[in-house]
Amino acid sequence: MTAERPESFDDRSVVVVGGAGFVGGNLVRMILSGWPSARVLVIDNLLSSERENVPKSPRVRFVKASITGARALSLLDDGHDYIFHLATYHGNQSSIHDPLADHENNTLTTLRLMNHVKGFRRLRKLVYSSAGCSVAEKTFGEAEATKEDAPLSLVQDSPYSISKVVGEFYSVYFHRQHGLPTVRARFQNVYGPGEILGAGRWRGTPATVWRNVTPTFVYKALKGMPLPLENDGVATRDFIHVDDVCRGLVACALRGEPGDVYNLASGKETSIRDLAGAINEMTGNSAGVLLLPRRPWDHSGRRFGSTEKASGRLGFRASVGLREGLSGTIGWTRNNLELIERCIGKHAEHMPL
C-alpha cells in the first residue's frame, strides 16, 4: 500500500456502494460537508433506496447499477482512496421471503467487490458494514453488551444475518490472503432522518414499506395510528443515531486497523415498548399501541453492543441521545411526508395501506 497520508478525505476519491440508502446518503452528506475537496462516487441499484437520498453536488457522481455487474465494477479502477461497502438486501424479513435475492444483493455484492479490488495499491481502506444482530446472543433473558470478539453462533435468524457473517468472513480472508485493507463496522439499530418508508422496489413482504421499527413508529404516530408491539414490546435494541454511525464509519476509514472489527453502538439497551411510549408522547399520539404476537423467526430478543473497543481504538463515542435523535427524526418525517407517502404508495397494489 502507499505511504502514510494525513487522516483526511480532502483531495481523495471516495466510493460509497449503496450511497443512495439511508445510511449511505447521510454518509455522503457528511463527507461533502466535512471535506470540501473530497470527491464521491455513489453506486446504487435503488433496490431498497431512492435517488432523492443522493446529494446534488458537482463533487458527487451517481451511477445506478449493482456492484455485482460489469458496468459498476468497470468504474472501480485503482484510482480511489476509500471504499464504503454499504449495499445490502434490506432486510431480515425480505431475506426470509427470498433467500436467493438476499444472496444476489447481500452476499455476492461483497464477494464481487472485494475480489475486484483485491490487487489495488492506492486503496487505503475498504469499510464493510456488518450487523450486530449476527453476533449477539439469541436470548430474551438478561443481555450483556456484545463485544467484537464474542463467540459466533451457527444459529442465525435470517439469510440477511447469515450474509452479514459471510461478508465478515470475506473481509478477513481478503485481508489475510491479499492484503486488502478491510475494516468491519458492526451496526446496531440505526435510526434518524433520511430513512424513507417504502424506499426502492417491492421485495415480497410488507417489510418493503414498514422497514425498521423507528421510522414505522414515527410515521404511524404522526398519522394518529396505534404502534404495533410484537410480544408486548419486551425486546430491546441498541438504538444509534445515523449521524453517530456515519461518524463511526469515518473513524473506521481514517483510523481503523486493517483486518479489524469495531462496534458502532450507543451501548444502551432500550425496549421496543419504551421506544413506542416515547414516540407517542413526543408526537402527541393518543392511539396507544396494538399488541401483536411474537415474530416466530426472531429469537434475538435483547441485545446491545459494547462501546469499549471503538472508544479506545478509534476515539469513537455515540453522542446523540435517544430523545434528541427522535425529535430530529420526527421533525424530518413531518417535513417529508409527501416523499414518504409517495414511496409507500408505489406498493399499494401489493398490500393494503
Side-chain angles (χ1 to χ4, degrees):
M1 298 296 163
T2 55
E4 287 298 319
R5 300 173 184 171
E7 294 180 352
S8 173
F9 291 130
D10 269 332
D11 298 317
R12 306 293 179 229
S13 175
V14 181
V15 179
V16 183
V17 182
F22 164 44
V23 175
N26 277 284
L27 176 63
V28 173
R29 283 187 285 274
M30 182 172 288
I31 292 172
L32 292 177
S33 64
W35 292 271
S37 59
R39 306 174 305 280
V40 184
L41 169 62
V42 171
I43 300 174
D44 199 302
N45 65 358
L46 302 184
L47 177 60
S48 57
S49 57
E50 294 293 328
R51 178 67 176 85
E52 286 87 344
N53 255 340
V54 181
K56 295 179 180 178
S57 167
R59 293 189 285 133
V60 175
R61 179 186 179 191
F62 171 69
V63 176
K64 181 183 177 182
S66 170
I67 198 62
T68 61
R71 176 168 176 253
L73 290 174
S74 70
L75 300 173
L76 297 183
D77 57 20
D78 199 359
H80 303 288
D81 299 285
Y82 297 93
I83 297 175
F84 292 91
H85 178 29
L86 308 181
T88 191
Y89 188 66
H90 193 285
N92 283 296
Q93 293 175 80
S94 296
S95 75
I96 292 169
H97 173 75
D98 193 343
L100 294 178
D102 179 85
H103 176 81
E104 177 73 22
N105 295 281
N106 209 357
T107 308
L108 193 58
T109 52
T110 303
L111 177 56
R112 291 275 196 191
L113 173 61
M114 292 184 182
N115 191 60
H116 180 75
V117 304
K118 64 185 179 186
F120 287 5
R121 311 314 302 169
R122 174 171 168 170
L123 184 65
R124 298 190 59 75
K125 297 285 174 58
L126 189 158
V127 180
Y128 169 70
S129 62
S130 188
C133 63
S134 298
V135 180
E137 181 184 3
K138 306 298 185 288
T139 180
F140 277 89
E142 290 297 319
E144 295 183 356
T146 304
K147 296 185 176 181
E148 286 85 347
D149 60 356
L152 178 61
S153 173
L154 293 178
V155 178
Q156 298 292 329
D157 284 337
S158 70
Y160 170 88
S161 184
I162 293 168
S163 294
K164 287 301 183 184
V165 173
V166 173
E168 291 213 33
F169 288 159
Y170 279 131
S171 297
V172 174
Y173 165 77
F174 279 101
H175 172 65
R176 290 171 63 90
Q177 185 70 17
H178 299 283
L180 186 65
T182 58
V183 177
R184 291 163 283 148
R186 284 191 190 146
F187 292 9
Q188 298 296 318
N189 277 64
V190 189
Y191 74 98
E195 185 163 16
I196 304 170
L197 296 174
R201 304 193 294 274
W202 178 251
R203 297 183 297 283
T205 78
T208 300
V209 171
W210 310 120
R211 293 168 60 100
N212 290 323
V213 63
T214 303
T216 295
F217 278 8
V218 168
Y219 175 79
K220 290 192 172 188
L222 288 174
K223 303 298 285 188
M225 303 164 64
L227 308 189
L229 283 185
E230 289 98 355
N231 196 26
D232 204 36
V234 299
T236 65
R237 295 293 184 263
D238 183 326
F239 292 100
I240 180 167
H241 193 270
V242 67
D243 285 353
D244 282 327
V245 163
C246 291
R247 289 194 305 105
L249 287 167
V250 167
C252 284
L254 298 182
R255 299 188 292 279
E257 183 69 24
D260 214 342
V261 57
Y262 305 92
N263 285 336
L264 302 185
S266 74
K268 298 177 181 178
E269 187 181 13
T270 301
S271 75
I272 305 302
R273 175 172 280 278
D274 285 347
L275 178 74
I279 291 172
N280 274 339
E281 179 229 317
M282 295 173 74
T283 58
N285 182 29
S286 60
V289 299
L290 174 65
L291 298 181
L292 298 173
R294 172 179 167 181
R295 298 184 296 187
W297 59 269
D298 187 1
H299 299 89
S300 187
R302 296 183 60 180
R303 66 172 189 257
F304 64 106
S306 170
T307 63
E308 182 179 352
K309 183 176 179 181
S311 175
R313 304 278 184 87
L314 300 177
F316 167 73
R317 299 173 185 83
S319 61
V320 181
L322 184 59
R323 287 188 70 88
E324 176 190 355
L326 288 177
S327 177
T329 306
I330 291 167
W332 180 89
T333 304
R334 185 180 283 117
N335 292 335
N336 288 274
L337 280 174
E338 182 179 351
L339 169 62
I340 293 167
E341 292 182 338
R342 173 163 53 82
C343 290
I344 290 175
K346 292 188 301 183
H347 311 293
E349 64 181 291
H350 299 291
M351 57 182 289
L353 301 173

